[in-house]
Amino acid sequence: MNFVRSLCVFITFLSCIVISVHGQAAARPGPGSGTRIGFYSTTCPNAETIVRNAVTAGFSSNSRIAPGILRMHFHDCFVQGCDGSILITGTNTERTAVPNLNLRGFEVIDNAKTQLEAACPGVVSCADILALAARDSVVLTRGTSWPVPTGRRDGRVSLASNANNLPGPGDSVAVQQQKFSALGLSTRELVVLVGGHTIGTAGCATFRNRLFNSTTGPADPTIDPTFLAQLQTQCPQNGDASVRVDLDTGSAATFDTSYFNNLSRGRGVLQSDQVLWTDPATRPIVQQLMSPRSTFNADFARAMVRMSNIGVLTAASGEIRRVCSAVN
């Protein structure tokens, strides 16, 4: 690796991170993870280029696919591991679960798979395509890049009922910690990964309960008053629940630390986001990530590699789907 200095940080199921002088965070899987960087270097050497070109083409047509694909990967990994099961269509599949109804970018994954099957039939998994596409989506929104370990195989089971425990927009820090900890992720990784909300939007239905007085109490007092008025205009009490609002006000198209600054100003859109500032267990992490010495980009790359190795199927497990939307 030219002009690279290694900063090895040993962590549970991935071994070390390498930070290049050019600012790219490089992550290497450790023993037993079942994935490795360059898995397709001989069997399908252009695999990553094909995926990157497909994501770039999709992004050029609709930039909203970037946060959609990033969240799709997150939701895939949190349900039975990173096995591409969220891509399967059909009655009662994960894709039909309420938290997944507004995900975007499935057509980009399908396009990449079609091209890969033409170039290298039966070689590249849909789970790996999604992991690579999530990284490329961050890069396209001016975020960091990192080498993605590959070698995942695709799952054969996809059930909407398995998506019931995905992190939700009203979760407290304690609940979020429980959900992340169950998958081997730390509180710091929780805050860093939720920082992916620096790009994308949320529907009014996911946070409107914070905006108005009700029988259960007043509007959420942690919301900045000026921002509250803005949100009430965007999401009136009896308005369209599907209207989308930027999660990172003023910087929703750029992958940066603005999201954390907004939390410090009472401008978190989702309750699950704003509590990261109000809860003493996570506030110091937010403060560090929004500081001039922020390590958010490197931390995010490291956390993404850790998350993308949750429950992976390798070797003889699972399959390599011919199309991503259906099992073989």
Side-chain angles (χ1 to χ4, degrees):
M1 202 177 210
N2 294 330
F3 306 111
V4 173
R5 64 177 183 272
S6 296
L7 176 61
C8 290
V9 181
F10 283 82
I11 49 185
T12 51
F13 51 88
L14 298 182
S15 66
C16 92
I17 295 294
V18 180
I19 308 295
S20 81
V21 297
H22 300 298
Q24 173 174 285
R28 292 180 178 171
S33 68
T35 61
R36 60 182 170 84
I37 294 165
F39 183 84
Y40 299 113
S41 59
T42 57
T43 56
C44 193
N46 292 322
E48 294 200 24
T49 299
I50 291 171
V51 173
R52 181 167 56 251
N53 289 344
V55 177
T56 301
F59 182 81
S60 297
S61 299
N62 180 3
S63 62
R64 291 177 65 183
I65 64 101
I69 290 174
L70 179 59
R71 268 170 218 131
M72 192 191 302
H73 181 45
F74 182 99
H75 286 204
D76 184 44
C77 292
F78 264 65
V79 180
Q80 299 188 130
C82 310
D83 64 352
S85 54
I86 197 168
L87 301 170
I88 297 173
T89 58
T91 305
N92 296 324
T93 59
E94 287 174 41
R95 199 157 157 176
T96 68
V98 172
N100 297 330
L101 292 178
N102 289 307
L103 291 178
R104 297 174 176 273
F106 291 102
E107 70 284 359
V108 172
I109 306 302
D110 291 340
N111 180 30
K113 180 61 171 174
T114 298
Q115 294 182 54
L116 285 165
E117 285 300 298
C120 320
V123 173
V124 182
S125 70
C126 298
D128 275 345
I129 294 171
L130 183 51
L132 292 165
R135 184 271 313 276
D136 296 336
S137 295
V138 171
V139 173
L140 285 167
T141 51
R142 305 183 199 174
T144 191
S145 182
W146 64 91
V148 175
T150 45
R152 299 165 191 79
R153 288 171 66 84
D154 297 321
R156 297 186 179 97
V157 177
S158 181
L159 297 172
S161 57
N162 289 336
N164 290 336
N165 204 40
L166 280 168
D171 285 352
S172 66
V173 166
V175 170
Q176 292 182 72
Q177 285 176 315
Q178 184 276 322
K179 291 178 179 179
F180 278 72
S181 176
L183 297 174
L185 297 170
S186 69
T187 297
R188 183 175 184 85
E189 288 166 329
L190 181 168
V191 177
V192 168
L193 288 169
V194 175
H197 286 174
T198 181
I199 55 174
T201 61
C204 291
T206 61
F207 62 88
R208 191 159 51 193
N209 62 305
R210 305 179 66 209
L211 308 184
F212 302 95
N213 297 335
S214 68
T215 55
T216 59
D220 190 337
T222 66
I223 306 175
D224 170 72
T226 302
F227 189 53
L228 176 61
Q230 177 183 324
L231 291 176
Q232 288 173 334
T233 299
Q234 292 174 288
C235 297
Q237 198 158 15
N238 297 310
D240 185 350
S242 66
V243 168
R244 311 293 295 180
V245 173
D246 291 344
L247 284 167
D248 184 7
T249 301
S251 184
T254 304
F255 200 94
D256 57 20
T257 60
S258 171
Y259 163 82
F260 298 110
N261 284 279
N262 274 329
L263 297 187
S264 74
R265 300 166 59 203
R267 290 175 170 251
V269 173
L270 303 180
Q271 182 178 339
S272 57
D273 287 352
Q274 191 57 53
V275 293
L276 298 179
W277 178 257
T278 57
D279 193 302
T282 47
R283 182 169 180 161
I285 302 171
V286 174
Q287 289 175 316
Q288 192 279 320
L289 293 172
M290 61 182 274
S291 73
R293 294 181 174 272
S294 176
T295 56
F296 177 51
N297 275 323
D299 288 351
F300 190 80
R302 188 162 39 233
M304 283 293 287
V305 173
R306 291 253 294 151
M307 185 192 76
S308 71
N309 274 274
I310 293 171
V312 296
L313 301 173
T314 57
S317 300
E319 64 184 15
I320 304 298
R321 284 185 220 136
R322 288 186 288 271
V323 295
C324 291
S325 58
V327 299
N328 293 341

